Amino acid sequence: MVVKVYGPAYASPKRVITCLVEKEIEYEVVHVNLFKGENTTPQYLQLQPFGVLPVIQDGDYTLYESRAIIRYYAEKYKTQGTELLGRTVEERGLVEQWLEVEAHNFHPPLDDLVIHVLFDGKKGVTPDEKRIKEDEEKLARVLDVYEQRLSTSKYLAGDSFSLADLSHLPFGHYLVTSLGKEYMIRERKHVSRWWDDISNRPSWKKVLHLYPPPV
Amino acid sequence: MVVKVYGPAYASPKRVITCLVEKEIEYEVVHVNLFKGENTTPQYLQLQPFGVLPVIQDGDYTLYESRAIIRYYAEKYKTQGTELLGRTVEERGLVEQWLEVEAHNFHPPLDDLVIHVLFDGKKGVTPDEKRIKEDEEKLARVLDVYEQRLSTSKYLAGDSFSLADLSHLPFGHYLVTSLGKEYMIRERKHVSRWWDDISNRPSWKKVLHLYPPPV
């Protein structure tokens, strides 16, 4: 059974595809164009009732929310490809903790920047400078905690690359490229070393090469 | 070993304590007063570097982020107390999906209401009516999807109560009590039936009784 992943050009589906590549799971993609509203058709809403990306179909099993999908495949194929959930229940606890930190601390200000700088920019809307500054300040505080953590730990959840690190790749990529804020990574020594490590993984380079971001 | 849970009066730590009660795990609480800034002391930041609740200590294991903690205990004590993660990897996938929906769709507008109506109100700040209206509209759209889902499924992730349902209790409680918006639940037949079911669980009633919310 080949896993079908919707919306590979966008950031959240890339979280899923990178996980599938790390786990050596066969997949195919279905392109969805958000700028043409292809995520709001009745057919799409049947699969994903909130009208967002990604969603996967695996035989008759349908699943959405990128961080749920990556947990599902990392657990289902535990012994295949890269181990991404830790070796013990305590290690998995820390993977879960840093996955949640990514979702609730790292992601929101960065997602806001992507929407209000890149996507609004593409639509010709003038970005709100005050909001951009606030987002950057929030993100800086988060990265300060990461710097501390990564000064004593190779990866966020411990000695090994895990879903917690992987989950940062798609939006971290926007930060260092289209958003022009690579300095936020580079002015923090340990974050910089970590970013180089995770963003040079063959899985991520392959996904970026195959599905270039739309902005 | 008794699990130490910080901040039981507040909503997110209640997610953790309800899970511990369902799993029949012994715990004790450490009170933290956010209104006095007890979450910003150097000692607290050692445990939780972002200065938010909750955090747990279990021997020398420290873990934060409520939804990471509940996953950890539900997995560690899989065969003890209520099964909260599903019986198969596919069932767990759906539990993960709806946990993520709670975190990314249900929680943000409701958290915004709690901060801007209840907490600002307590501090004497006038609430922003436009923002409140937008939050309510967002939440209504989410609850419409829930209504659809719960018309064909007893609980969010399937036939059994799971972490996905449990995770809605603390902020759902604010919605039907202090926020005065119980009608948002009651005007949706299936959501209403589901809310009555989950909010009447002995675990939740016990937690509410032991640790009344501060607002």
Side-chain angles (χ1 to χ4, degrees):
Chain A
M1 195 80 68
V2 178
V3 183
K4 228 185 258 188
V5 186
Y6 286 71
Y10 300 92
S12 300
K14 285 193 170 61
R15 202 175 270 132
V16 172
I17 301 174
T18 307
C19 173
L20 295 176
V21 174
E22 290 280 352
K23 299 301 291 179
E24 300 165 12
I25 297 166
E26 229 184 312
Y27 69 92
E28 58 187 42
V29 298
V30 181
H31 288 281
V32 178
N33 190 329
L34 298 187
F35 295 98
K36 289 185 182 164
E38 289 173 359
N39 55 317
T40 57
T41 62
Q43 294 90 318
Y44 188 79
L45 293 173
Q46 279 286 326
L47 290 176
Q48 213 301 352
F50 298 98
V52 294
L53 292 169
V55 59
I56 63 100
Q57 284 182 294
D58 191 345
D60 57 5
Y61 190 65
T62 300
L63 201 64
Y64 51 82
E65 282 291 333
S66 61
R67 298 176 192 85
I69 300 169
I70 62 179
R71 285 174 170 108
Y72 169 70
Y73 283 109
E75 178 155 325
K76 180 163 182 174
Y77 296 91
K78 189 132 186 71
T79 58
Q80 178 178 314
T82 312
E83 169 57 77
L84 295 170
L85 282 171
R87 287 150 303 186
T88 63
V89 71
E90 276 68 34
E91 285 184 9
R92 175 155 187 176
L94 290 171
V95 173
E96 295 292 351
Q97 171 183 292
W98 288 100
L99 260 176
E100 292 288 310
V101 168
E102 183 274 320
H104 300 290
N105 298 75
F106 178 83
H107 183 76
L110 191 44
D111 188 42
D112 209 59
L113 285 171
V114 169
I115 291 168
H116 293 285
V117 179
L118 301 186
F119 284 68
D120 277 0
K122 191 163 168 156
K123 291 181 203 152
V125 179
T126 310
D128 175 345
E129 291 300 332
K130 181 166 168 276
R131 187 162 185 163
I132 291 171
K133 190 162 171 280
E134 284 169 3
D135 283 334
E136 186 167 333
E137 284 165 2
K138 275 186 209 166
L139 189 58
R141 286 194 293 276
V142 174
L143 291 176
D144 286 344
V145 176
Y146 281 38
E147 180 68 0
Q148 179 74 19
R149 168 66 179 166
L150 293 165
S151 72
T152 59
S153 184
K154 189 170 179 197
Y155 296 98
L156 286 171
D159 293 339
S160 308
F161 178 76
S162 75
L163 286 187
D165 306 295
L166 182 154
S167 199
H168 288 76
L169 287 166
F171 283 84
H173 179 75
Y174 273 132
L175 187 71
V176 303
T177 58
S178 335
L179 285 170
K181 295 187 189 295
E182 185 172 356
Y183 61 88
M184 295 189 74
I185 301 288
R186 296 302 166 209
E187 66 196 16
R188 293 172 175 86
K189 188 172 87 174
H190 301 288
V191 173
S192 184
R193 184 261 308 150
W194 167 77
W195 178 255
D196 284 339
D197 181 326
I198 67 171
S199 62
N200 279 301
R201 289 184 77 86
S203 60
W204 177 241
K205 291 171 102 164
K206 178 178 172 182
V207 170
L208 265 185
H209 174 72
L210 286 174
Y211 317 107
V215 282
Chain B
M1 195 78 69
V2 177
V3 184
K4 229 185 257 187
V5 185
Y6 286 70
Y10 300 92
S12 301
K14 284 194 170 61
R15 203 175 271 133
V16 172
I17 302 174
T18 307
C19 173
L20 295 176
V21 175
E22 290 279 353
K23 299 301 291 178
E24 298 165 12
I25 298 166
E26 229 185 314
Y27 70 92
E28 57 188 41
V29 299
V30 181
H31 288 279
V32 179
N33 190 328
L34 299 186
F35 295 98
K36 290 185 181 163
E38 289 173 0
N39 55 316
T40 57
T41 62
Q43 296 90 318
Y44 188 78
L45 294 173
Q46 279 286 326
L47 290 175
Q48 212 301 352
F50 298 98
V52 294
L53 292 168
V55 58
I56 64 100
Q57 285 184 292
D58 191 345
D60 58 5
Y61 190 65
T62 300
L63 200 64
Y64 51 82
E65 282 291 334
S66 61
R67 297 176 192 85
I69 301 169
I70 61 179
R71 284 174 169 110
Y72 169 69
Y73 283 110
E75 177 153 324
K76 181 164 182 173
Y77 296 92
K78 189 130 185 74
T79 59
Q80 179 178 312
T82 312
E83 167 59 76
L84 295 170
L85 282 172
R87 287 151 302 186
T88 63
V89 71
E90 276 67 35
E91 284 184 9
R92 175 157 186 175
L94 290 172
V95 173
E96 295 291 351
Q97 171 183 292
W98 287 101
L99 260 174
E100 292 288 311
V101 168
E102 183 274 320
H104 300 291
N105 297 75
F106 179 82
H107 183 75
L110 192 43
D111 187 42
D112 209 60
L113 285 171
V114 168
I115 292 168
H116 293 285
V117 178
L118 302 186
F119 285 67
D120 278 1
K122 191 164 167 154
K123 292 180 202 153
V125 180
T126 310
D128 176 344
E129 291 300 332
K130 181 166 165 274
R131 186 161 185 166
I132 293 172
K133 190 163 172 278
E134 283 170 2
D135 283 334
E136 186 168 331
E137 285 166 1
K138 275 185 209 166
L139 190 59
R141 286 194 293 274
V142 174
L143 291 176
D144 285 344
V145 175
Y146 281 38
E147 179 68 1
Q148 179 75 19
R149 169 64 179 168
L150 293 165
S151 73
T152 59
S153 183
K154 188 170 179 195
Y155 296 99
L156 285 172
D159 292 340
S160 308
F161 177 76
S162 76
L163 287 187
D165 307 294
L166 183 153
S167 199
H168 288 76
L169 286 167
F171 283 84
H173 179 74
Y174 273 132
L175 187 71
V176 302
T177 57
S178 334
L179 285 171
K181 296 186 190 294
E182 186 174 356
Y183 61 88
M184 295 189 75
I185 301 288
R186 296 304 166 208
E187 66 196 16
R188 292 171 175 88
K189 188 172 87 174
H190 302 288
V191 172
S192 184
R193 184 262 309 150
W194 168 76
W195 178 255
D196 284 339
D197 181 325
I198 67 172
S199 63
N200 279 301
R201 288 185 77 86
S203 60
W204 176 242
K205 291 172 102 164
K206 178 178 172 181
V207 171
L208 264 186
H209 175 73
L210 287 173
Y211 317 108
V215 283

